[in-house]
Amino acid sequence: MTNVVIFGAPGSGKGTQSEMIIKKYGFKHFSTGDILRKQIAAETELGKIAKTFIDRGQLVTDELIINMISKELDSTKGVSGIIFDGFPRTYAQAEALKKLLNKKGTDVTVMLNIQVDDDELIKRLLERGKVSGRSDDNLETITKRIQTYYKQTAPVIDFYKKEKTAVDIKGVGTIDGIFCSIAEAIDAKMTE
Ligand code: AP5
Ligand code: MG
């Protein structure tokens, strides 16, 4: 079983590159952001709570997110791999993911740390905001999301450096070019 953590700031291309990974490897995609947006659209209790955080560019609580992922992991029998997109986003989530995977006799295979400078992130998200309909794609919330990333999420890089699964990926350039580096990193870690 191959477990890929696709990691990076808001707008770094996690969703875009996940689609490319799915096409080549056929892995299952877990995007915590997408799951939460579905819950919001369905107006569930979780969705209502999540919306208050998402609209302010803050993280939803670890407890809610870890429960959600734990449930999703129950439905992975027979899959050859999983892409975790937007999760883990805190040190506590990284520790929880390790425990959940270890219980299944597996672990994170590779953590792809996609690096993009802030000006490019803001440019991409403002552009996407014109058509995405995402309530968090406006300058105020984008700025807050990037701050939240540096404060709470970037420390997760150290967790995976210690685990020796982190690989830095230059996230500026063509989507295909970036995917080449990603596929190289996945292939290398899969055969380690
Ligand atoms: P989430 O949905 O994960 O959003 P995000 O991390 O802010 O990232 P995005 O989805 O905006 O960007 P992306 O990296 O996927 O980039 P994309 O490929 O779309 O989370 C949303 C919120 O949910 C969080 O703020 C939080 O509140 C909550 N949440 C989610 N997970 C959580 C967790 N684990 N714990 C707590 N709270 C959680 O690309 C962006 C744009 O750039 C697109 O328009 C794309 O076409 C374009 N693009 C992509 N690649 C390139 C390229 N190479 N060159 C030029 N343009 C490009
Ligand atoms: Mg995304």
Side-chain angles (χ1 to χ4, degrees):
M1 174 119 175
T2 306
N3 298 296
V4 178
V5 169
I6 189 148
F7 186 92
S12 56
K14 300 183 294 294
T16 305
Q17 293 297 332
S18 290
E19 295 304 322
M20 307 280 288
I21 298 172
I22 294 163
K23 254 191 234 157
K24 181 170 162 89
Y25 298 91
F27 297 156
K28 197 172 164 82
H29 186 206
F30 283 166
S31 158
T32 41
D34 288 349
I35 301 169
L36 292 170
R37 280 184 289 277
K38 272 187 204 139
Q39 297 279 334
I40 293 172
E43 296 181 6
T44 63
E45 273 314 301
L46 171 59
K48 281 178 200 157
I49 299 168
K51 186 166 169 47
T52 63
F53 291 101
I54 290 178
D55 287 354
R56 278 183 274 161
Q58 295 171 350
L59 296 185
V60 177
T61 62
D62 284 337
E63 198 193 347
L64 286 177
I65 295 288
I66 292 164
N67 273 335
M68 197 173 91
I69 280 286
S70 172
K71 277 187 205 141
E72 294 284 333
L73 278 174
D74 287 339
S75 65
T76 56
K77 246 198 167 150
V79 308
S80 62
I82 302 175
I83 308 161
F84 295 93
D85 164 359
F87 174 86
R89 250 177 157 96
T90 62
Y91 216 87
Q93 290 181 17
E95 288 173 326
L97 178 61
K98 186 170 176 67
K99 272 197 200 139
L100 286 169
L101 291 177
N102 285 175
K103 258 200 263 171
K104 290 178 167 288
T106 179
D107 207 340
V108 169
T109 313
V110 60
M111 183 270 210
L112 304 162
N113 177 30
I114 308 181
Q115 298 173 316
V116 176
D117 58 273
D118 293 357
D119 288 347
E120 173 73 13
L121 296 173
I122 294 169
K123 197 176 100 191
R124 287 184 189 177
L125 293 176
L126 283 177
E127 191 57 37
R128 188 182 66 187
K130 292 178 190 165
V131 291
S132 68
R134 268 180 62 165
S135 58
D136 57 350
D137 278 348
N138 58 76
L139 186 57
E140 196 188 338
T141 314
I142 291 167
T143 308
K144 187 74 192 80
R145 282 158 69 196
I146 294 173
Q147 284 169 357
T148 302
Y149 168 78
Y150 285 113
K151 208 168 150 201
Q152 289 176 271
T153 304
V156 171
I157 298 167
D158 270 346
F159 181 94
Y160 290 105
K161 284 209 167 130
K162 282 187 202 136
E163 295 276 316
K164 306 212 181 317
T165 46
V167 180
D168 290 340
I169 302 286
K170 184 171 164 276
V172 183
T174 65
I175 290 168
D176 286 340
I178 297 163
F179 181 64
C180 270
S181 326
I182 286 185
E184 226 172 75
I186 295 176
D187 292 343
K189 289 289 182 188
M190 271 171 81
T191 51
E192 238 176 41

